[in-house]
Amino acid sequence: MSTNQIRNIAIIAHVDHGKTTMVDQLLRQSGTFAQHEKVVDTVMDNNAIEKERGITILAKNCAVTWQGTHINIVDTPGHADFGGEVERALSMVDGVVLLIDAQEGPMPQTRFVTKKALALGLKPILVVNKVDKPGARPDWVVNAAFDLFDKLGATDEQLDFPVVYASGINGWSSMEEGAQGEQWGPDMSALFNTILEHVPHQLGDPAAPLQLQISALDFSTFVGRIGVGRISQGTIKPMMDVVVMEGLDGKPIKGRINQVLTFQGLERVQAKEAGPGEIVLINGLPEIGIGVTITDPVNPVPLPMLKVDEPTLTMNFCVNTSPLAGREGKYVTSRQIWDRLQKELQHNVALRVKETDEEGIFEVMGRGELHLTILLENMRREGFEMAVSKPRVVFKDIDGVRYEPIEMVTADIEDQHQGGVMQALGERKGDLVNMEPDGRGRVRLEYRIPARGLIGFTNEFMNLTRGSGLISNIFDSYEPHKGEIGGRKNGVLISMDAGEIFTYALGKLDDRGRMFVRANDPVYEGMIVGIHSRENDLVVNATRTKQLTNFRVSGKEDAIKITPPIELTLEYGVEFIEDDELVEITPKSVRLRKRHLTEGERKRAAR
């Protein structure tokens, strides 16, 4: 394949703007699926958690062929927490398709990935998606995107971007703006032709020394580690001798490539050779890692290592020491947890892990709460059991002054909830940057707020907006420490005894607050069973039973009415706890507990 017949693009969008659905249509209309194949929706979100949540977590590749040109497509996550995935993906492409919802317009996480793409010199193609939706405002979106590019320091060439109007779910695109309620174009050909016209083809020399940077890792039980990357120059063949180099001054490690595979649709097919511009998968090199360069042993031409933003949030992963430890999980020891975290580091480039002074406690740093809770959810499903602490932000000391990460928050809410949301963000040291009513009963608020202030805010926000609000945040910069921020307003109900919960005990505790537990759940001393309706913590007897006598009365008191408990999810638990509490995670349960289980230990620790 000549280099003129290859295009490499990344698709960027804010979460829920329709990116994965658009990729489905590109795969369908390019004839990737045979007539007899069953086409699955959101085919690129193939991980179980991605399917459940409807979000993209891992950057993934596929390829389509249009008019004889091979187009490699990289589907990138929309959440800023998975920025490490985005940075790797952008190193493989020559152009970006920026997808924006025709009603919502550019959102903070669109801004985050676009900033990275523009800084790398990539030219954007703007796709205004969902233009057939009621309330769509395509002209406003195009102007807002232009202003956004200008603010992010785009060059004149980048500002001269082509615009495609599309409906990903209905499978059509058009260069011209049409009438509301009608279909503007026959199919996706307008988008395909724009990609062929505006994305540059690879200029590398196939005869030059090989230069291939690894941007992603995969694993197979048959061939071991698989590296995915784009060839900058040279030609790669199976059974070829190469050297692996870490950065410009890394030590060359000799190796031999086993297989070379390329993408065709969603399949991987073996290739006899591959040249500049092609995205390939290679195996046979045990020392392969993200960012390394595979190059010629005689004439090595390494590339600098990939740069990834530093993590801003840290959590402690601890061995589970509760009285119920080891009942539900398969992997419970510190060595097993440490080995699993080391395995995660091989492909999760934005993660950092280090041991602490305390036995069985590891410090894990990531981009945000979602980044870390997805890792915990994956470990839990694999059979791990552990306890985790409250997330803390990563501070920096610059010239003796303490700096903390500041986030840019965008909240889309109904007008009636504006006062409550603004008050809550103000209490958390947020500064209002912009306020934009849309004239249809909703308003968009933009705030700059310390990352500390956002820990545990999602649940409060959902309550304040009755579930109708949309909130998203993105790391902005480091600034001097903003002072103390208040924590949780309510105390908790703590079990004083071990045993099983009885309905009678729940009935007696019902007016004390909302419970996390149900009848017949096991509890232990120091476990948190509910939220107290007041500010202080309260130790309660959750295992007491009714004293039975032979004196019979009418059956009125038998029907005990209990408020349904709060469904305890992993995210809710991590957001809810304070510094002296832990979330206990097992494959079947999520429980909350105090760090010190007995009341005597808690009093000593408080002193």
Side-chain angles (χ1 to χ4, degrees):
M1 199 185 300
S2 81
T3 53
N4 287 349
Q5 292 171 294
I6 300 171
R7 300 288 187 279
N8 298 322
I9 59 158
I11 296 199
I12 297 173
H14 181 79
V15 64
D16 268 350
H17 279 200
K19 166 176 49 65
T20 308
T21 309
M22 180 74 77
V23 176
D24 286 356
Q25 288 293 352
L26 296 177
L27 286 164
R28 277 186 191 138
Q29 296 195 19
S30 61
T32 301
F33 297 113
Q35 290 295 318
H36 63 276
E37 277 187 272
K38 183 174 182 288
V39 182
V40 188
D41 282 340
T42 61
V43 69
M44 294 292 276
D45 286 351
N46 51 14
N47 167 317
I49 299 180
E50 290 181 322
K51 278 190 166 69
E52 282 166 29
R53 296 175 185 235
I55 59 172
T56 304
I57 294 169
L58 304 165
K60 287 176 287 292
N61 302 51
C62 67
V64 300
T65 304
W66 183 260
Q67 296 174 357
T69 302
H70 188 76
I71 304 172
N72 284 308
I73 301 172
V74 184
D75 186 13
T76 63
H79 275 278
D81 280 25
F82 310 114
E85 295 287 323
V86 173
E87 285 151 1
R88 290 179 357 206
L90 292 179
S91 68
M92 289 196 276
V93 299
D94 302 305
V96 291
V97 171
L98 175 62
L99 200 70
I100 300 182
D101 184 300
Q103 188 179 3
E104 291 188 359
M107 296 289 276
Q109 287 157 359
T110 318
R111 175 196 184 102
F112 162 75
V113 191
T114 310
K115 188 176 181 180
K116 302 259 175 226
L118 294 174
L120 290 168
L122 301 173
K123 195 175 173 192
I125 295 170
L126 179 66
V127 177
V128 183
N129 194 25
K130 307 186 188 182
V131 286
D132 52 350
K133 198 163 96 170
R137 35 185 187 166
D139 291 345
W140 175 80
V141 169
V142 173
N143 292 332
F146 185 89
D147 293 344
L148 173 69
F149 291 173
D150 192 36
K151 270 185 207 155
L152 297 177
T155 62
D156 290 349
E157 194 188 355
Q158 285 170 329
L159 286 172
D160 185 21
F161 54 85
V163 180
V164 181
Y165 302 97
S167 169
I169 199 151
N170 296 317
W172 54 261
S173 62
S174 165
M175 301 302 290
E176 302 295 324
E177 207 173 322
Q180 193 71 38
E182 292 176 15
Q183 185 163 323
W184 303 356
D187 53 21
M188 296 305 264
S189 53
L191 177 56
F192 277 123
N193 295 332
T194 307
I195 290 168
L196 298 194
E197 188 185 336
H198 289 276
V199 176
H201 58 79
Q202 182 66 32
L203 300 170
D205 179 5
L210 175 67
Q211 189 180 52
L212 158 67
Q213 187 161 39
I214 299 300
S215 303
L217 288 181
D218 205 343
F219 187 81
S220 152
T221 44
F222 296 108
V223 293
R225 266 186 176 189
I226 301 169
V228 185
R230 184 181 68 165
I231 303 170
S232 304
Q233 61 175 45
T235 305
I236 194 165
K237 295 175 184 171
M239 308 316 291
M240 180 177 170
D241 287 323
V242 292
V243 291
V244 180
M245 292 184 74
E246 276 194 33
L248 299 174
D249 46 6
K251 192 165 111 285
I253 301 165
K254 288 184 180 175
R256 175 171 286 183
I257 286 164
N258 181 10
Q259 295 168 311
V260 176
L261 298 101
T262 56
F263 289 97
Q264 267 188 20
L266 298 165
E267 304 298 318
R268 300 166 177 193
V269 293
Q270 290 201 32
K272 290 183 179 160
E273 65 170 41
E278 291 197 57
I279 293 179
V280 294
L281 302 103
I282 58 166
N283 56 51
L285 301 171
E287 285 81 17
I288 205 162
I290 286 176
V292 301
T293 311
I294 313 297
T295 184
D296 189 57
V298 183
N299 199 347
V301 275
L303 288 161
M305 289 292 277
L306 291 177
K307 271 198 171 66
V308 173
D309 285 357
E310 286 300 306
T312 56
L313 210 65
T314 172
M315 271 166 102
N316 287 351
F317 285 30
C318 329
V319 172
N320 188 10
T321 54
S322 90
L324 300 177
R327 291 192 189 182
E328 296 170 1
K330 199 161 52 166
Y331 310 110
V332 294
T333 65
S334 61
R335 184 185 59 79
Q336 286 166 330
I337 294 171
W338 175 254
D339 289 349
R340 175 64 182 80
L341 290 172
Q342 291 304 310
K343 187 177 154 199
E344 184 70 21
L345 286 174
Q346 291 174 2
H347 60 85
N348 196 338
V349 288
L351 202 72
R352 305 278 181 277
V353 177
K354 64 181 187 190
E355 293 184 81
T356 62
D357 300 337
E358 292 179 70
E359 184 66 34
I361 298 181
F362 311 114
E363 193 178 341
V364 182
M365 293 184 237
R367 281 283 182 86
E369 274 178 60
L370 192 64
H371 186 200
L372 294 170
T373 50
I374 293 284
L375 167 61
L376 286 167
E377 185 63 46
N378 276 323
M379 289 175 73
R380 174 187 171 188
R381 290 177 185 210
E382 289 162 23
F384 281 85
E385 196 174 292
M386 66 203 132
V388 295
S389 71
K390 180 182 174 171
R392 308 176 303 281
V393 301
V394 178
F395 294 105
K396 280 186 180 175
D397 278 331
I398 304 171
D399 303 329
V401 179
R402 197 178 201 201
Y403 279 68
E404 66 174 333
I406 303 292
E407 302 266 330
M408 194 82 181
V409 173
T410 300
D412 274 334
I413 54 173
E414 291 181 2
D415 288 346
Q416 68 210 46
H417 303 136
Q418 186 179 334
V421 171
M422 290 180 77
Q423 183 182 343
L425 286 165
E427 284 170 3
R428 291 164 176 264
K429 299 274 194 282
D431 294 327
L432 183 65
V433 179
N434 189 17
M435 189 163 106
E436 209 176 293
D438 71 351
R440 290 197 290 268
R442 286 182 80 86
V443 62
R444 177 176 291 185
L445 304 174
E446 287 183 21
Y447 271 83
R448 293 182 79 250
I449 182 170
R452 287 178 299 139
L454 284 179
I455 295 172
F457 181 63
T458 312
N459 291 318
E460 190 182 335
F461 178 78
M462 282 299 151
N463 291 335
L464 287 168
T465 61
R466 306 286 186 274
S468 67
L470 296 168
I471 189 166
S472 51
N473 58 294
I474 177 85
F475 170 72
D476 190 44
S477 60
Y478 268 88
E479 287 187 9
H481 193 272
K482 301 280 184 190
E484 285 307 308
I485 294 174
R488 190 176 67 209
K489 292 185 175 73
N490 292 58
V492 288
L493 302 174
I494 306 160
S495 172
M496 64 160 62
D497 238 330
E500 212 171 81
I501 292 197
F502 287 95
T503 312
Y504 178 74
L506 291 178
K508 293 290 182 194
L509 294 173
D510 204 45
D511 57 347
R512 293 287 188 184
R514 287 289 302 275
M515 305 305 284
F516 291 132
V517 289
R518 300 172 189 278
N520 303 329
D521 281 357
V523 290
Y524 50 83
E525 185 182 1
M527 180 171 150
I528 295 171
V529 292
I531 307 176
H532 192 195
S533 52
R534 299 188 180 180
E535 290 178 11
N536 61 314
D537 290 353
L538 186 68
V539 179
V540 297
N541 184 355
T543 58
R544 77 167 161 179
T545 56
K546 186 175 182 181
Q547 295 303 314
L548 299 174
T549 68
N550 60 358
F551 180 71
R552 292 184 179 84
V553 291
S554 64
K556 274 184 193 169
E557 62 186 38
D558 293 347
I560 299 170
K561 289 191 172 69
I562 302 168
T563 312
I566 295 169
E567 284 297 330
L568 199 52
T569 61
L570 179 57
E571 278 86 4
Y572 182 90
V574 166
E575 286 199 344
F576 177 79
I577 57 172
E578 283 297 332
D579 293 331
D580 64 335
E581 295 160 0
L582 298 171
V583 183
E584 181 188 340
I585 301 162
T586 74
K588 293 180 185 168
S589 321
V590 175
R591 301 185 190 98
L592 305 184
R593 53 165 283 192
K594 284 288 181 184
R595 196 181 288 265
H596 301 289
L597 294 178
T598 66
E599 199 166 0
E601 284 176 349
R602 289 198 290 277
K603 282 180 176 166
R604 277 199 295 278
R607 277 195 220 117

